[in-house]
Amino acid sequence: MRFALARLSASVLALALVASCASGPSEEEVAEQARVAAEQARLAAIPNIALNSNVIQEAAVYLAFTRDMATLRGGFSDPQSIQDALRRGAAYDARQVSRGLVAYAAILALQSPEFVAGVRANATDRASRDALVDRIVGDPGSASRLPGADAAAGLIMGTLENDVRLLREAADSVENDAYAIQADGRRDWARVAVPDREARLNTVRGLSRPSLAPADEAARLSAAAQSGSGLGVSADRRRSPPYPQSVENALTLAALALLDGAGENARANTDALMYDRASLDCFESSKLNLFQCLAASRPSYEDMFCLGRHVVRDLGQCARGAALPAGLVTVGAPTQSRVETAPLISPRALEDAQPTPPAAVEPTPTPAPSIATGNPTATTATQRLNSQVQAPER
């Protein structure tokens, strides 16, 4: 009897299960399926980050060069090591470094989760995404008013501020060693006049040309732009607008990358956004001051000073003036460049847009640095070097 009852109960249970399956999914199951489908549609509407190779390359050139210069220190062992460092420091193109500063800042903005989320919250489907791209292209400054822009600006400025500090430390080391050599006589070779100074100057002048980005650095930056991580950067605070032009351009470039508006087919947009008049004027003035300093330099320790002042220190000064809150962009005390905004981007004008070259800036002598050894009332050779322009020897 029990066996028969058990068989009857199993049959009833099987019939109940069949009936439940025939009646379809429950309301909870239908709601969950709808939620999953909506999430899949939302993710499908989010584009991959599109940042063309030109931006990546320029950023990699800037970062590799400035990090290399930040490793320089005083204590050179012979004249050749000074000349080697000088050639490394002079081998940059002012326009490429200026563009790379903005490009690198844009990749830094992509490391901000708040900015990434803020941009994408305003572009939930293709229609809203295209509308936001059109709005940004028509008004580039609008990207700096998107949610999370203050966090991205803080990340850009905080990172560049730290880079400036490292360059300043390197410049202090090189310049102070140039002064110490004059005072203590440890290295007699550093007091000997550089042979064939005019040929040395012409060689340094000829090094000013665009360079190829290191492949490993470009790959690292490209991966960081796509993933939003990998650079190990952080910010201690948010920054409020108005932002310096280079930071505003970087935020615009990053926003377009998040909206599939900065890929290989949008180079006209990205090239226009990487143009920053303030930093370009500063880097070009620095190059002219370097050439003038070397034209007047005679012994090797004065070449050291030119390297520390007009390559390493000026790199930091130009980055600080262009990307951190400041009214002037300067290299050397008397030289000033006005901070001007770049032309707004228009959708039709972008294809033919070419940045207007800056007016030539006449370099002026750099005053002596404040740190010196020996008798403070005496005039050293390096102070004389930087207080008046001397014609090169023939």
Side-chain angles (χ1 to χ4, degrees):
M1 186 70 178
R2 287 181 193 170
F3 182 70
L5 288 174
R7 291 183 60 186
L8 177 62
S9 299
S11 299
V12 171
L13 179 60
L15 290 173
L17 288 173
V18 170
S20 67
C21 292
S23 63
S26 66
E27 292 183 0
E28 291 79 5
E29 290 172 331
V30 171
E32 177 63 16
Q33 290 172 359
R35 187 193 68 77
V36 170
E39 180 64 12
Q40 289 174 342
R42 185 188 71 81
L43 293 174
I46 297 175
N48 292 326
I49 295 175
L51 197 58
N52 67 64
S53 58
N54 197 34
V55 178
I56 299 294
Q57 294 290 314
E58 300 290 61
V61 168
Y62 170 81
L63 187 58
F65 179 65
T66 54
R67 294 285 167 86
D68 180 32
M69 291 299 99
T71 65
L72 290 178
R73 291 294 184 271
F76 294 100
S77 58
D78 53 53
Q80 188 59 47
S81 62
I82 296 174
Q83 295 305 312
D84 290 344
L86 187 58
R87 283 192 289 271
R88 276 167 53 199
Y92 75 91
D93 177 75
R95 184 174 296 273
Q96 186 179 42
V97 171
S98 172
R99 289 158 57 83
L101 172 63
V102 178
Y104 175 52
I107 296 174
L108 290 174
L110 293 173
Q111 309 301 292
S112 168
E114 297 91 340
F115 185 62
V116 173
V119 172
R120 286 181 166 168
N122 286 269
T124 55
D125 53 37
R126 174 168 283 281
S128 60
R129 187 178 81 205
D130 292 345
L132 184 54
V133 169
D134 289 342
R135 188 177 111 202
I136 292 174
V137 168
D139 177 16
S142 64
S144 65
R145 299 187 291 273
L146 290 171
D150 55 349
L155 193 58
I156 292 170
M157 294 183 182
T159 302
L160 292 178
E161 196 166 31
N162 185 63
D163 291 346
V164 168
R165 177 184 61 80
L166 296 175
L167 287 167
R168 184 173 63 246
E169 291 173 358
D172 287 344
S173 176
V174 175
E175 290 179 32
N176 288 345
D177 196 39
Y179 276 108
I181 288 173
Q182 298 176 66
D184 60 22
R186 288 170 298 158
R187 286 164 276 180
D188 290 337
W189 56 261
R191 301 165 182 253
V192 177
V194 175
D196 203 352
R197 293 172 45 249
E198 187 172 354
R200 179 265 278 130
L201 177 59
N202 290 335
T203 297
V204 170
R205 285 176 187 255
L207 295 172
S208 300
R209 60 172 67 96
S211 59
L212 295 176
D216 56 343
E217 192 70 85
R220 187 174 75 95
L221 290 176
S222 179
Q226 293 294 325
S227 66
S229 62
L231 296 185
V233 295
S234 60
D236 57 349
R237 62 190 177 97
R238 297 169 182 258
R239 306 279 182 143
S240 301
Y243 303 119
Q245 189 65 49
S246 61
V247 174
E248 186 172 288
N249 286 6
L251 292 172
T252 305
L253 184 52
L256 289 175
L258 289 166
L259 300 168
D260 196 23
E264 298 299 336
N265 61 343
R267 287 199 176 197
N269 278 16
T270 59
D271 284 353
L273 287 168
M274 285 191 291
Y275 174 71
D276 175 53
R277 177 64 179 266
S279 64
L280 179 57
D281 277 355
C282 189
F283 288 125
E284 288 187 333
S285 296
S286 173
K287 257 309 173 61
L288 292 175
N289 284 338
L290 173 64
F291 298 154
Q292 176 181 283
C293 187
L294 292 175
S297 172
R298 284 173 172 73
S300 289
Y301 69 79
E302 290 183 346
D303 277 9
M304 287 171 55
F305 180 83
C306 295
L307 169 66
R309 175 59 57 92
H310 294 302
V311 175
V312 186
R313 189 175 301 281
D314 282 358
L315 281 175
Q317 289 290 94
C318 291
R320 172 176 289 281
L324 300 175
L328 294 174
V329 181
T330 65
V331 287
T335 305
Q336 296 180 352
S337 302
R338 290 179 300 162
V339 178
E340 301 177 4
T341 58
L344 292 179
I345 308 172
S346 63
R348 292 184 178 84
L350 271 172
E351 294 295 336
D352 300 322
Q354 293 294 333
T356 303
V361 180
E362 185 66 24
T364 51
T366 306
S370 57
I371 305 174
T373 58
N375 184 356
T377 62
T379 302
T380 67
T382 305
Q383 288 171 324
R384 291 194 299 274
L385 169 67
N386 287 276
S387 64
Q388 62 182 1
V389 179
Q390 303 178 43
E393 294 180 346
R394 298 290 183 184

